Amino acid sequence: QVQLVESGGGLVQAGGSLRLSCAASGRTFSTYVMGWFRQAPGKEREFVAAIKRIGSNTYYADYADSVKGRFTISRDNAKNTLYLQMNALKPEDAAVYYCAAHEGHVIITTTYGYDYWGQGTQVTVSS
């Protein structure tokens, strides 16, 4: 069992930055594929970014087109923590952001493939 706890959300002006964190506990963090999703009011939960291990100390990341070049996903395995650095935020980025994990070996961009979810952290972007 893996427990995920997000933090770092808040209110920011358009053009600003936030860094979200996801603290993981339980099984071996470094082997999990980790992802970030978001859900705005009245909308479905959507993929933001994900990261998987491809070597002993090498990781591959994938991003939704809407955040490419602005968001960066990273992980610190020593701290069992996943991050999402969000720059140049736009009002349309406002949502509840969720951290997710699965035990497979491929990056999945749908919610169905993830085994574990955090409770979410709210990001609000003012225009």
Side-chain angles (χ1 to χ4, degrees):
Q1 190 74 12
V2 174
Q3 292 80 42
L4 303 173
V5 179
E6 302 95 335
S7 61
L11 172 64
V12 64
Q13 287 188 333
S17 298
L18 278 176
R19 188 176 81 157
L20 306 183
S21 299
C22 172
S25 61
R27 305 266 308 269
T28 306
F29 173 76
S30 64
T31 64
Y32 281 79
V33 175
M34 302 295 299
W36 286 100
F37 287 76
R38 66 186 182 187
Q39 188 168 18
K43 295 187 177 181
E44 293 187 352
R45 194 170 298 188
E46 66 175 4
F47 172 75
V48 174
I51 186 167
K52 69 170 185 176
R53 188 171 71 175
I54 59 173
S56 61
N57 205 29
T58 307
Y59 290 83
Y60 170 80
D62 195 14
Y63 298 90
D65 288 342
S66 59
V67 306
K68 279 181 182 176
R70 299 188 298 122
F71 291 12
T72 303
I73 187 172
S74 63
R75 61 198 298 166
D76 185 334
N77 293 328
K79 296 182 178 180
N80 276 15
T81 302
L82 178 73
Y83 301 101
L84 184 68
Q85 177 67 43
M86 306 186 295
N87 298 328
L89 282 160
K90 305 175 181 179
E92 52 263 43
D93 294 319
V96 177
Y97 281 72
Y98 296 90
C99 169
H102 77 82
E103 302 180 47
H105 303 285
V106 297
I107 283 183
I108 300 174
T109 60
T110 62
T111 60
Y112 302 110
Y114 287 82
D115 304 304
Y116 307 103
W117 291 86
Q119 83 291 346
T121 185
Q122 178 72 51
V123 172
T124 304
V125 183
S126 63
S127 57

